[in-house]
């Protein structure tokens, strides 16, 4: 069978959900994923080669060989980068996409995150805009993601800021030694706190066991399948219907249009038999992640669409966003590290909005358990030598005493932070690669600096003796929280899709993934990507 109701490109946070909704609605779906279905053993436990600390390689794709990108630094110098290079802005490439190895923080965005331009105005040089939908439009779909995949948390603790109709299906992760110190300090400062919501089974749920609280969560696969990604929740459901054909190691090269410019299907390469194949469908849904979705639309050019699909107004690939991630560290008087995962237990959303002189703001939380080398790489005071006896002594005495707080800061989008195509560099199939250039807007750096100071303040109030942090700079924002490159809106001159993810001027072409985000919230983005995927998928299912 080579003629489908829908072809979905990518099996990550969004693609997996769309496949499930369409297949369960009786639609015949082809789900294409460029990566492999990685087992727990494939992903492994290498402390230096994982999706969080990729010093010598990474563990959830894409392959190092044959998948370059081009990165242009803020000084305008370009270079070819490999997937484990920070400037590659990788997420992951495997069944489940980023959700295979993510930390699974499952935040809803704040209602004001959907109306940033109305609330703050549009700073010079930025493309800050309101979403075409509101928090209230998305609220039922947030709830659906939380209940269908399985989220743990305590919604009542932040009900006054992020209202919800129904609590999480699972109780939050239990506190760790650092939780009480941070909670008491926040209380003294008058800050609101809550447990960190996670797509992790704190009790057995939907046929999968509870978390065993191991030390390997973010950047790794879960040994008991208690971390809920699309690969172990919605994709198996889609396959169980018999309506979904899944092809892994299948790299889509372009979206095919006919001589009237109408989308008819896709062409793709399958690794095992490296030849070009095609498939036809009524609808094509691009869910390849914010960088690769833009690349695919731009590479799908033809004489009728010389600049690529959806790119009549030069919007595809612009407004690349992610998060600056300010962090602060302090030496606590008591031992705070007990090695019990996942490690994130407490957050404050006190500063997501209404900070004088700041546009937006962000969330701060304690951190996932880090392997010692990650602590050494990321968390040492700047005045400590990186080697030698002094360093060893510090590691021995303080690895269990350093308190960490960190969190994502609302990106103020810059239209020049963007994905274009580099025709001079090609992947192993000869497809032109993504070229990443520009920076976030300076207002993002102001917000990050503000949040760095709040992090230090929190640690000081927690009784830490020595406190340190790094100052944020003006860089391109993207990486694992990449979003915004095909943003939704009502005006085709400033957006790529409508509020359902339908590409303007193409009735049967949709983008459904992080690319749609008009702004990326002051929170980890995945639950919003999932909620949007449910919303768009229901819309699409009713129309094919
Ligand atoms: C280590 C790590 C930790 C993270 N922790 C968190 C967290 O705690 N909370 C949170 O909110 N977010 C977290 N994230 C980010 C989160 O995983 C992403 O926001 C989310 O997965 C993005 O969803 P998406 O659907 O946009 O894209 P993805 O999940 O990236 O899925 C896109 C898929 O498309 C495939 N694809 C791309 N191009 C093609 C092509 N041409 N043909 C076929 N397939 C293609 C890719 O291989 C990929 O599988 C984390 C990510 C990582 C890597």
């Amino acid at each position: 069978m080579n003629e489908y109701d829908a072809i979905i490109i990518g099996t990550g946070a969004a693609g997996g959900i769309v496949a499930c909704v369409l297949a369960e609605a009786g639609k015949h779906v082809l789900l294409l994923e460029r990566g492999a279905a990685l087992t727990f053993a494939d992903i492994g436990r290498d402390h230096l080669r994982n999706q969080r600390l990729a010093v010598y390689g990474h563990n959830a794709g894409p392959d190092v060989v044959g998948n370059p990108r081009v990165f242009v630094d803020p000084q305008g110098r370009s270079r070819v980068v490999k997937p484990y290079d920070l400037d590659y802005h990788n997420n992951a490439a495997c069944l489940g996409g980023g959700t295979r190895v993510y930390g699974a923080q499952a935040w809803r965005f704040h209602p004001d995150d959907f109306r940033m331009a109305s609330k703050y105005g549009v700073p010079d040089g930025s493309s800050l805009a309101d979403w075409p939908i509101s928090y209230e439009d998305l609220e039922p779909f947030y709830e659906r993601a939380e209940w269908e995949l399985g989220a743990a948390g305590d919604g009542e603790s932040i009900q006054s800021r992020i209202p919800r109709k129904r609590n999480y299906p699972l109780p939050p992760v239990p506190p760790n030694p650092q939780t009480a110190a941070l909670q008491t300090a926040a209380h003294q400062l008058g800050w609101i706190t809550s447990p960190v919501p996670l797509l992790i089974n704190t009790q057995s749920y939907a046929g999968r066991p509870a978390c065993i609280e191991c030390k390997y969560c973010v950047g790794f696969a879960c040994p008991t399948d208690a971390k809920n990604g699309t690969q172990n929740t919605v994709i198996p459901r889609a396959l169980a219907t018999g309506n979904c054909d899944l092809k892994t190691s299948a790299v889509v090269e372009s979206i095919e249009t006919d001589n009237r410019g109408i989308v008819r299907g896709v062409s793709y390469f399958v690794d095992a038999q490296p030849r070009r194949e095609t498939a036809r469908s009524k609808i094509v849904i691009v869910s390849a992640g914010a960088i690769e979705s833009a690349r695919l639309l731009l590479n799908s050019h033809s004489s009728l669409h010389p600049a690529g699909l959806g790119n009549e107004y030069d919007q595809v690939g612009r407004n690349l966003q992610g998060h600056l991630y300010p962090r602060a560290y302090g030496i606590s008087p008591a031992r705070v590290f007990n090695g019990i995962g996942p490690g994130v237990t407490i957050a404050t959303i006190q500063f997501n909005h209404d900070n004088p002189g700041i546009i937006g703001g962000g969330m701060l939380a304690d951190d996932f358990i880090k392997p010692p080398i990650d602590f050494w790489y990321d968390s040492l005071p700047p005045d400590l030598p990186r080697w030698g006896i002094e360093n060893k002594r510090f590691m021995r005495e303080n690895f269990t005493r350093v308190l960490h707080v960190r969190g994502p800061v609302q990106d103020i989008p810059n239209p020049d932070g963007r994905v274009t195509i580099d025709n001079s560099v090609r992947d192993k199939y000869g497809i032109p690669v993504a070229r990443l250039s520009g920076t976030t807007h300076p207002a993002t750096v102001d917000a990050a600096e503000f949040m760095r100071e709040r992090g230090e303040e929190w640690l000081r109030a927690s009784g830490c003796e020595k406190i340190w942090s790094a100052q944020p700079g003006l860089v391109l924002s993207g990486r694992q929280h990449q979003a915004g490159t095909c943003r939704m809106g009502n005006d085709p001159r400033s957006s790529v899709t409508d509020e359902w993810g339908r590409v303007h001027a193409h009735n049967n072409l949709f983008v459904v993934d992080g690319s749609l985000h008009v702004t990326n919230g002051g929170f980890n983005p995945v639950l919003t990507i999932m909620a949007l995927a449910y919303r768009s998928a229901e819309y699409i299912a009713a129309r094919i």
Side-chain angles (χ1 to χ4, degrees), residues 284-316:
V284 171
I285 300 155
V286 184
S287 299
I291 293 174
E292 292 299 320
S293 286
R295 175 187 175 208
L296 196 49
L297 290 180
L298 294 171
N299 270 331
S300 301
H301 51 78
S302 63
S303 53
L304 287 174
H305 304 105
L309 291 176
N311 201 28
E312 286 75 12
Y313 294 97
D314 190 24
Q315 289 300 304
V316 173

Side-chain angles (χ1 to χ4, degrees), residues 10 12 14 33-34 91 93-94 97-98 102-105 250 252 288 480 514 524-526:
E33 167 55 52
R34 71 174 166 156
N91 190 22
C94 59
Y102 67 173
Q105 289 200 38
V252 176
Q480 294 168 350
N524 311 58
V526 82

Side-chain angles (χ1 to χ4, degrees), residues 124-155:
D124 283 350
S126 98
S127 45
L128 193 64
D130 290 348
W131 290 51
I133 60 172
S134 67
Y135 174 81
E136 290 70 29
D137 293 321
L138 212 49
E139 204 276 337
F141 301 98
Y142 275 129
E143 180 183 305
R144 188 161 167 196
E146 289 163 353
W147 280 78
E148 290 203 15
L149 280 94
D154 172 13

Side-chain angles (χ1 to χ4, degrees), residues 255-510:
I255 297 152
E256 302 285 295
T257 47
D258 65 14
N259 55 14
R260 289 180 298 150
I262 296 172
V263 170
R264 293 294 178 203
V266 301
S267 71
Y268 62 100
F269 293 96
V270 180
D271 249 352
Q273 34 179 320
R275 65 165 192 269
R276 186 179 280 115
E277 303 203 1
T278 57
R280 291 173 71 91
S281 59
K282 293 180 190 155
I283 283 190
V284 171
I285 300 155
V286 184
S287 299
I291 293 174
E292 292 299 320
S293 286
R295 175 187 175 208
L296 196 49
L297 290 180
L298 294 171
N299 270 331
S300 301
H301 51 78
S302 63
S303 53
L304 287 174
H305 304 105
L309 291 176
N311 201 28
E312 286 75 12
Y313 294 97
D314 190 24
Q315 289 300 304
V316 173
R318 289 194 181 273
N319 311 309
L320 176 61
Q321 299 164 59
H323 286 123
L324 298 193
Y325 227 92
R327 57 201 69 186
Y329 310 91
I331 299 179
S332 168
R335 185 170 169 269
V336 286
F337 178 86
N338 64 0
I340 292 184
V344 274
T345 62
I346 181 170
T348 181
I349 62 164
Q350 182 74 28
F351 301 105
N352 280 79
H353 286 284
D354 303 315
N355 305 302
I358 298 296
I359 301 176
M363 178 275 291
L364 281 174
D366 53 357
D367 199 7
F368 288 95
I369 298 284
K370 283 191 176 81
I373 192 64
D374 196 356
F375 175 89
W376 178 88
Y377 194 81
D378 174 82
S379 313
L380 295 180
D383 55 353
L384 183 76
R386 284 319 193 242
W387 61 89
I389 196 69
E390 207 184 327
N391 186 281
K392 282 188 177 164
R393 190 180 305 119
F394 183 93
M395 286 289 292
R396 193 165 49 237
E397 291 174 0
N398 297 307
F399 179 56
T400 59
R401 287 179 62 207
V402 171
L403 258 181
H404 313 214
V405 291
R406 58 169 63 197
V409 161
Q410 176 103 234
D411 239 53
I412 307 307
N414 179 347
D416 296 331
R418 67 185 300 197
V419 180
T420 52
I421 292 304
D422 196 316
N423 281 304
S424 66
V425 181
R426 299 193 174 228
D427 69 10
K428 61 183 165 186
Y429 300 106
I431 310 169
V433 305
R435 179 182 176 89
L436 311 175
S437 58
T439 67
T440 184
H441 189 274
T444 316
V445 183
D446 295 343
E449 175 58 11
F450 173 80
M451 291 307 297
R452 181 186 73 82
E453 288 166 3
R454 299 293 70 72
E456 288 206 353
E457 187 179 0
W458 200 3
L459 296 178
R460 214 170 294 118
S462 305
C464 289
E465 295 151 15
K466 175 177 170 122
I467 292 167
W468 63 97
S469 59
Q471 243 147 19
L474 188 63
V475 293
L476 181 64
S477 189
R479 297 204 177 141
Q480 294 168 350
H481 291 184
Q482 60 188 259
T485 52
C486 303
R487 68 182 187 180
M488 51 161 68
N490 297 321
D491 183 350
R493 284 164 305 183
S494 59
S495 61
V496 175
T497 80
D498 68 10
E499 63 167 285
W500 306 103
R502 186 202 303 267
V503 174
H504 296 306
H506 289 278
N507 268 341
N508 63 343
L509 176 62
F510 287 77

Side-chain angles (χ1 to χ4, degrees), residues 8-16 32-36 50-53 59-62 69 90-107 197-199 217-220 227 230 247 249-254 268 287-290 292-293 295-296 325 368 431 479-483 512-515 523-530:
I8 302 165
I9 304 160
T11 61
L32 296 170
E33 167 55 52
R34 71 174 166 156
N50 61 76
Q51 231 74 358
R52 196 182 204 200
L53 185 60
N59 60 352
R69 283 179 183 158
N90 194 13
N91 190 22
C94 59
L95 190 69
T99 74
R100 183 72 180 100
V101 289
Y102 67 173
Q105 289 200 38
W107 291 97
L198 292 157
L199 283 156
C217 201
V218 63
F220 299 98
K227 185 162 66 169
T230 52
K247 290 194 183 183
S249 303
V251 179
V252 176
E253 174 193 31
S254 70
Y268 62 100
S287 299
E292 292 299 320
S293 286
R295 175 187 175 208
L296 196 49
Y325 227 92
F368 288 95
I431 310 169
R479 297 204 177 141
Q480 294 168 350
H481 291 184
Q482 60 188 259
V512 184
D513 62 13
S515 315
F523 295 99
N524 311 58
V526 82
L527 198 76
T528 301
I529 295 170
M530 291 174 171

